[in-house]
Amino acid sequence: VQLQASGGGLVQAGGSLNLSCIASGRTFANYFMGWFRQAPGKEREFVSAHRWVTAYYADSVKGRFTISRDNAGNTLYLQMNSLKVEDTAVYYCAAQGKLGNSWSTVGDYADWGRGTQVTVSS
């Protein structure tokens, strides 16, 4: 199983980035896939999750970030608009390995990508 995230970079506050995560090695279509982030010195935190046609967001990104997924369910996207300095972090994509009803904690996810750095400057 492999999850490969890309699309991070350096952007000014107010700018946009679009992250992608390509998953391979098993079927992902019916399971939650999500994005988490980890800033230096902080714990990894939930950003957004997606399963079937439903999306979930952390309050801190609601209205600014949009998660989506391709029809096959193996590619996950995160469109990030109106970026803030506090969005600076390494962003990780993750996938669950079984059907579940919880999506916002690290322990909910079985497989993780390596992460992509997002840096927002003031």
Side-chain angles (χ1 to χ4, degrees):
V1 175
Q2 186 174 16
L3 286 80
Q4 188 165 358
S6 61
L10 173 64
V11 64
Q12 286 191 326
S16 298
L17 285 173
N18 189 24
L19 306 183
S20 299
C21 174
I22 300 174
S24 60
R26 61 172 173 87
T27 300
F28 296 87
N30 290 318
Y31 305 131
F32 275 107
M33 291 184 71
W35 291 97
F36 286 72
R37 65 188 182 187
Q38 188 166 17
K42 295 188 176 181
E43 293 187 353
R44 194 169 297 189
E45 66 174 6
F46 170 74
V47 174
S48 183
H50 185 283
R51 185 175 69 176
W52 298 324
V53 295
T54 305
Y56 304 86
Y57 298 95
D59 288 342
S60 60
V61 307
K62 205 171 291 183
R64 300 187 298 120
F65 291 9
T66 303
I67 192 171
S68 61
R69 205 159 161 179
D70 71 334
N71 287 337
N74 293 339
T75 304
L76 187 70
Y77 304 95
L78 186 69
Q79 176 65 42
M80 305 187 294
N81 298 329
S82 301
L83 282 161
K84 303 177 181 180
V85 172
E86 51 263 42
D87 294 319
T88 295
V90 177
Y91 283 69
Y92 298 89
C93 65
Q96 294 191 2
K98 59 181 179 180
L99 289 175
N101 293 316
S102 178
W103 59 85
S104 64
T105 64
V106 170
D108 293 330
Y109 294 82
D111 299 301
W112 292 82
R114 283 192 174 183
T116 184
Q117 176 70 48
V118 172
T119 303
V120 185
S121 63
S122 58

